[in-house]
Amino acid sequence: MSKKKYAVIGHPIGHTMSPFIHKRLFDLQGIDAEYTKLDIPFENFAEEYKNTLSKLDGYNITIPHKRTIIPYIDEIDEKAKMYGSVNTVDNKNGIAKGYTTDPDGFLKALSAAGIVIGGRVVVLGCGGVARTVAYEIVLKNVPVLFGVRKEDVQIANDLCAEIKNTVKNAQVRVCLIDEVCGDIDLLINATPLGMFPKVDAQPVKDDVIAKCANVFDLVYNPLETMLVQKAKANGAKASGGMSMLVWQAVVAHEKWDNSVYDVKDIEQLCIDASNELAAK
């Protein structure tokens, strides 16, 4: 049986963690597979799809090709269709099917941390990852409050309008990030504040963190941001973004080969991936 071949594609591809994470996931399943990274510029995409991507067993997609890929594949999963984005393709029996694994990766990361979506949820930021987590929350009939900078209020309002138009009875609203206050059941940081090298930064003040029962920080470098550290010190359940990065990769393997992983193995992989990232 020939070795299966997979890759991550993007442009520029840079120091992606995908090869490290996916190789470990294949090893945990005892699957002999090759996983590489491919830098594909827009102008070469059609040629590369025909000559390379269509011949792989599967691949992951990062910026800027998550939408570029859609016209090329045969099928698209319903959730990927809703998001208008594909980050994983499975090639089986001559059929290329696209998925987005970020939403389920987010949900699995929360579950692994023992965090339940409910009550008062605040999402800091209004970019692409904030959009993903907000959709998953309102799909569970839980309201979302976006906390954003003054210059991002219109972007956040537009995102709220999009969500309301897509999800029936969705409850979403916006406030300034400095006005976030009161008891919070789940605080999600979808801003880059706290990311290496500015590890002393945090998106909200200590008095806000003190009133959070659960915190999920989408920043994955470092493994535990100042926000996560302070939340844990207050007795809250808290987790960082490396878990979402790894769990969304796990979801790709579920699509590719129906793999099932032990939570403890994934926790160790998050630590190892963080150490690998720090060593780069």
Side-chain angles (χ1 to χ4, degrees):
M1 188 175 181
S2 60
K3 179 183 286 190
K4 289 190 173 184
K5 295 185 178 181
Y6 297 85
V8 58
I9 68 168
H11 180 70
I13 201 65
H15 292 97
T16 174
M17 289 300 296
S18 290
F20 180 87
I21 293 170
H22 286 283
K23 285 176 182 177
R24 176 70 68 81
L25 291 172
F26 280 124
D27 287 345
L28 285 168
Q29 290 293 304
I31 295 173
D32 185 21
E34 178 184 301
Y35 191 100
T36 57
K37 61 180 182 179
L38 301 171
D39 190 319
I40 303 178
F42 274 115
E43 60 270 23
N44 297 349
F45 197 87
E47 181 181 0
E48 288 292 338
Y49 183 83
K50 179 182 178 182
N51 295 334
T52 306
L53 301 183
S54 63
K55 297 175 183 177
L56 295 174
D57 293 283
Y59 47 95
N60 302 113
I61 303 145
T62 188
I63 295 171
H65 295 314
K66 291 184 179 185
R67 293 180 185 268
T68 310
I69 190 65
I70 293 175
Y72 291 86
I73 55 181
D74 303 300
E75 298 178 9
I76 182 170
D77 177 71
E78 283 303 315
K79 186 157 281 191
K81 192 178 295 181
M82 185 187 82
Y83 280 100
S85 174
V86 167
N87 75 347
T88 297
V89 171
D90 179 39
N91 284 332
K92 276 193 181 80
N93 304 316
I95 302 295
K97 186 168 183 177
Y99 303 88
T100 179
T101 66
D102 287 333
D104 287 343
F106 165 64
L107 297 176
K108 285 177 179 287
L110 285 185
S111 178
I115 298 173
V116 177
I117 295 173
R120 184 166 183 252
V121 178
V122 177
V123 175
L124 306 176
C126 56
V129 70
R131 175 178 180 260
T132 296
V133 302
Y135 263 106
E136 292 309 302
I137 294 162
V138 299
L139 285 168
K140 294 184 178 296
N141 297 314
V142 175
V144 169
L145 172 64
F146 288 102
V148 301
R149 300 174 304 174
K150 187 175 181 179
E151 57 265 39
D152 292 332
V153 168
Q154 188 56 56
I155 295 170
N157 282 328
D158 290 344
L159 176 56
C160 286
E162 177 201 318
I163 292 172
K164 288 178 180 178
N165 189 52
T166 306
V167 181
K168 188 177 180 181
N169 299 322
Q171 297 180 58
V172 283
R173 59 192 183 90
V174 178
C175 78
L176 294 177
I177 197 166
D178 292 337
E179 294 175 356
V180 172
C181 61
D183 292 337
I184 299 171
D185 294 288
L186 174 56
L187 178 75
I188 299 172
N189 178 37
T191 79
L193 289 171
M195 184 183 295
F196 180 84
K198 298 180 180 179
V199 296
D200 292 330
Q202 57 191 55
V204 288
K205 295 179 180 177
D206 289 357
D207 59 337
V208 175
I209 302 172
K211 293 187 176 182
C212 296
N214 301 278
V215 168
F216 192 77
D217 194 338
L218 290 155
V219 171
Y220 61 82
N221 184 16
L223 184 65
E224 288 195 352
T225 59
M226 189 68 71
L227 172 61
V228 169
Q229 291 176 37
K230 289 185 175 180
K232 284 186 172 181
N234 293 333
K237 291 178 181 176
S239 181
M242 183 59 79
S243 60
M244 179 174 167
L245 187 67
V246 173
W247 278 107
Q248 66 81 27
V250 167
V251 177
H253 285 252
E254 291 175 351
K255 306 301 183 188
W256 290 336
D257 45 51
N258 299 313
S259 292
V260 177
Y261 294 90
D262 183 88
V263 173
K264 292 296 181 184
D265 286 336
I266 301 306
E267 287 177 356
Q268 186 60 51
L269 177 50
C270 289
I271 294 168
D272 294 345
S274 181
N275 291 335
E276 176 74 9
L277 185 61
K280 285 185 179 294

